[in-house]
Amino acid sequence: MIGFIGLGNMGSGMARSLMRNGKKLIILDTNKAVVDEFKAEGCEVAEHPSDIAAASRHIITMLPRTAHVNEVYTGSSGILKTIQRGTLCIDCSTIDRHMSTTLAKLVREHNAEFMDAPVSGGIEHAKEGTLKIMVGAESEQVFERAKEEVLSKMAKKVYHVGKVGDGQAVKVCNMMVAGINALALSEAMNLGIEMGIDPVVLNKSINTSTGYSYISKSANPVPGVHPKAPASNEYKDGFTVSLMARDLSHAQIASTDCHAATPLGSLTHQIYTILAQNPEYSSKDFTSIYQFLINKKK
Ligand code: NAD
């Protein structure tokens, strides 16, 4: 039995990938509507994280923020109250890497294992089971067990990037590049359009030149350039501005900790922080930063 906590935008697709692969789940979410859906699909339902830990040998968490993961593990009805010897705890949420190392230590005191396994890819990849997962695990043996028994059922690629906490470190670096790229491409698209260039032509040219990135390939911020991108659907159903601001804040904490200068990461973080405080943008896809830049007076 696999325990799954957090069946939101990402977690629900990941849980269903496991179910398609024949896995039996016991689930928990604070949103009753989503719990009812999974119950109707044959899952067992838990009341508390401690019920999940008592019933499962694998526990996946896919929660919004560091504080949620901490509460689910260390709260008064948390996983640590009932965790069984040999249980594999896999946290797929994006959280502060120091929390991952703290939880790994607490879990090990119960003779169980914890790994951080943040994911790359959006809601569609979660639904299709084609995520990329970067795993921080104490040993190759524990990593291989998690990959074989669980992670390969939800992902196209699963990488062992280092010890516990290193999955979050890699994720933070990747997100910093994604945020900077979204801002850079938004500026370039705005400039090109102002100079009279057709945005589709401009993006095609960037895509075959040195400005190429994932954002220019699949998620151009200008509506209409990529018909399936969030920009062409009013910036809905993507990775939100507030989650991007949060990921960039993790990068800034790490940059301060490590004395590694990240001037573009810092500027991008500040811009996304302004957007995240604006209700017009906070829940939109992060590529909506383009809308923030364009001259609306014209
Ligand atoms: P979400 O808000 O859609 O889902 C989170 C779920 O957790 C919700 O269903 C919520 O009800 C539930 N929840 C919150 N607190 C809980 C608790 N204490 N106990 C049980 N359930 C609880 O978030 P999401 O978009 O699925 O993101 C989850 C994580 O994945 C985040 O850390 C995010 O950064 C990361 N991520 C998201 C994307 C994306 O495109 N959305 C991509 C990669 C990584």
Side-chain angles (χ1 to χ4, degrees), residues 94 118-121 132 134 166-182 214-215 239 244 247-248 251 286:
T94 304
V119 310
S120 177
K132 274 80 68 189
M134 354 177 175
D166 290 354
Q168 299 295 351
V170 172
K171 171 79 182 171
V172 137
C173 294
N174 179 60
M175 292 314 291
M176 191 172 82
V177 176
I180 293 170
N181 274 346
Y214 166 78
I215 312 278
F239 183 71
M244 177 55 87
D247 284 359
L248 291 168
F286 72 106

Side-chain angles (χ1 to χ4, degrees), residues 5-12 14 28-31 34 49 62-66 68-69 71-72 92-95 118-123 131 171 175 237-240 243 246-247:
I5 307 180
L7 301 147
N9 286 327
M10 296 295 286
S12 56
M14 292 162 67
L28 174 65
D29 196 289
T30 43
N31 177 349
V34 81
M62 190 52 168
L63 295 160
R65 288 168 192 273
T66 306
H68 300 112
V69 179
E71 171 65 21
V72 155
C92 292
S93 328
T94 304
I95 62 166
V119 310
S120 177
I123 298 166
L131 293 165
K171 171 79 182 171
M175 292 314 291
D237 295 335
F239 183 71
T240 64
L243 282 179
R246 187 278 318 264
D247 284 359

Side-chain angles (χ1 to χ4, degrees), residues 70 73-74 80 83 99-112:
N70 186 27
Y73 271 89
T74 65
L80 291 175
I83 190 168
M99 178 58 70
S100 305
T101 50
T102 300
L103 292 176
K105 199 161 164 266
L106 294 172
V107 165
R108 219 166 293 125
E109 286 169 9
H110 295 263
N111 297 307

Side-chain angles (χ1 to χ4, degrees), residues 49-59 73 78-90 103-104 106-114:
S50 54
D51 305 332
I52 295 265
S56 18
R57 299 301 303 272
H58 299 87
I59 302 172
Y73 271 89
I79 290 170
L80 291 175
K81 295 285 178 212
T82 52
I83 190 168
Q84 302 174 71
R85 194 185 183 87
T87 299
L88 202 48
C89 299
I90 304 172
L103 292 176
L106 294 172
V107 165
R108 219 166 293 125
E109 286 169 9
H110 295 263
N111 297 307
E113 293 288 344
F114 177 96

